[in-house]
Amino acid sequence: MATTTGGASAPTQNVNVLETSSIIPPCELRAAMPLSDRARDVVIESREVIKRIIAGEDRRLLAVVGPCSIHDEMAAMEYAQKLVALHRELADRLYIVMRVYFEKPRTTVGWKGLINDPHLDGTFDMDAGLRKARGLLLAINDLGLPTGTEMLEPITPQYIADLVSWASIGARTTESQTHRQMASGLSMPVGFKNATDGSVQVPLDAMQSARHPHGFLGIDDQGRTCVVKTRGNPWGHLILRGGRNRPNFDPDTVAEAAQMLRRASLPAGVMVDCSHANSEKQFQRQETVWQSVIEQRAQSAEGKFCPIIGAMLESNLFEGSQPLGDDLSKLRYGVSITDPCMGWDRTAAVLGGV
């Protein structure tokens, strides 16, 4: 005979939930931190430029460049001020978008990003995190520099998406129905990374899914649970980031990926992530991947088609990375607390050499 503990008084709901706390609704945050005219112009113009690059109508290389993750607003703004100068100087060859990543997917556990834990202390003050994220996006766009970020939590776009020109869906979430549905409703072009095992079919399936209308559970402007119905997002593209420590940026693999895209009647443009498995997680090797991208594109000037439309670099003020310890006063300024990054001087040289 089965036995029970607790009887009729035993809870069956939220058994492992310690507490819940409300946060500001999206409409209130946007009203408190409104989109400036300057930022609106930057977002609208940059989204259109990126669409033209994906469509092959603008032959500049889309370069998504910046820290692996943002943890210090002051350092991020110093980086943005440096990057916007290159955005203007190299505009005839590159279209530079700053990588402004606030959410970090973890293989097991770890710091999940500025929105999730803005004080770096495990207090999970997400109300403050959303304010910090929105404030930084506003400031960077006001400089005239477009921004790109990974969309991880499906609720986050309601708070910040009006300030984002390009988005990505990560290798761990490209196969997720939740993220494909979310991408179908995003207002900007979206890059889908190949799966962690290197599979390209997974992001192709994701692109197909996101191009179609969906209906799913989400939140509205007031933060209320609602049914979200989307029209579909036709501006998806593939990001090759390697898999299982095997790079996939070589010409043959890129050409094969483009052929798969064409067979699926999808845009054949490919972006190469110079970090992650493509650099074998060695930040110095990003430069080798970048140089391969430039060489492959140079061949297109000689009549050989190159499907590469963009590249990503993980870069910070100073190279390398550092652990996030208990004593925050020991953190070095401008150094990543997640993946190791190229330093600024090397980044500027690499970008300027195109």
Side-chain angles (χ1 to χ4, degrees), residues 26-335:
C27 60
E28 291 185 18
L29 181 61
R30 294 204 306 270
M33 308 177 74
L35 190 67
S36 67
D37 290 341
R38 169 67 161 155
R40 180 180 289 103
D41 289 344
V42 169
V43 171
I44 291 173
E45 178 184 353
S46 57
R47 287 177 179 174
E48 291 304 312
V49 170
I50 295 167
K51 289 176 184 178
R52 291 197 296 272
I53 291 174
I54 292 172
E57 298 167 2
D58 187 325
R59 288 300 297 157
R60 287 179 292 177
L61 181 70
L62 174 61
V64 180
V65 183
C68 172
S69 60
I70 302 294
H71 72 274
D72 178 344
E73 301 117 290
M74 184 179 297
M77 280 307 300
E78 181 177 341
Y79 186 96
Q81 288 162 351
K82 291 175 179 290
L83 191 63
V84 72
L86 287 183
H87 172 79
R88 295 167 182 149
E89 178 185 338
L90 305 175
D92 61 326
R93 290 160 279 167
L94 301 176
Y95 193 74
I96 297 176
V97 173
M98 181 166 167
R99 176 188 169 105
V100 190
Y101 277 37
F102 300 119
E103 301 178 283
K104 296 301 296 178
R106 312 307 305 197
T107 302
T108 53
V109 294
W111 183 68
K112 297 178 185 175
L114 189 76
I115 289 177
N116 181 272
D117 187 15
H119 309 307
L120 315 181
D121 59 2
T123 53
F124 307 112
D125 185 0
M126 296 182 204
D127 196 284
L130 289 165
R131 293 176 187 272
K132 285 175 178 283
R134 185 166 181 84
L136 189 57
L137 289 171
L138 275 167
I140 294 172
N141 276 283
D142 279 338
L143 291 176
L145 183 62
T147 63
T149 194
E150 178 175 349
M151 296 296 184
L152 183 60
E153 296 288 351
I155 290 173
T156 302
Q158 293 283 22
Y159 290 90
I160 63 171
D162 59 323
L163 287 158
V164 175
S165 299
W166 174 90
S168 72
I169 305 296
R172 295 172 182 83
T173 48
T174 292
E175 197 165 6
S176 158
Q177 175 173 285
T178 298
H179 291 81
R180 294 174 178 189
Q181 291 171 162
M182 174 181 65
S184 77
L186 290 177
S187 302
M188 72 293 294
V190 180
F192 294 87
K193 289 194 175 183
N194 65 250
T196 54
D197 66 358
S199 168
V200 172
Q201 188 60 51
V202 169
L204 264 61
D205 292 343
M207 290 171 63
Q208 291 279 23
S209 175
R211 292 167 75 88
H212 287 81
H214 286 276
F216 55 93
L217 285 174
I219 64 167
D220 64 14
D221 243 9
Q222 286 74 42
R224 300 170 302 197
T225 304
C226 67
V227 176
V228 179
K229 294 183 179 181
T230 67
R231 71 174 73 235
N233 185 348
W235 296 105
H237 67 87
L238 173 64
I239 305 175
L240 296 178
R241 48 86 74 193
R244 294 283 184 264
N245 296 319
R246 185 184 68 81
N248 60 4
F249 63 87
D250 61 281
D252 289 343
T253 304
V254 170
E256 181 182 354
Q259 188 175 31
M260 291 177 67
L261 286 162
R262 284 192 290 267
R263 284 200 298 264
S265 300
L266 293 167
V270 173
M271 175 180 278
V272 172
D273 180 353
C274 297
S275 187
H276 300 100
N278 272 338
S279 65
E280 299 177 80
K281 298 186 177 181
Q282 301 295 316
F283 72 88
Q284 302 93 333
R285 295 183 182 177
Q286 290 189 84
E287 189 170 348
T288 300
V289 184
W290 174 271
Q291 190 56 43
S292 175
V293 167
I294 300 307
E295 289 172 359
Q296 290 181 58
R297 281 176 57 88
Q299 293 178 356
S300 67
E302 301 170 1
K304 184 177 180 180
F305 173 72
C306 176
I308 296 177
I309 59 166
M312 302 179 70
L313 288 172
E314 289 193 332
S315 160
N316 215 320
L317 292 174
F318 302 103
E319 70 176 27
S321 64
Q322 60 185 326
L324 174 60
D326 294 332
D327 187 352
L328 300 182
S329 67
K330 293 183 179 179
L331 288 179
R332 289 173 288 152
Y333 178 76
V335 177

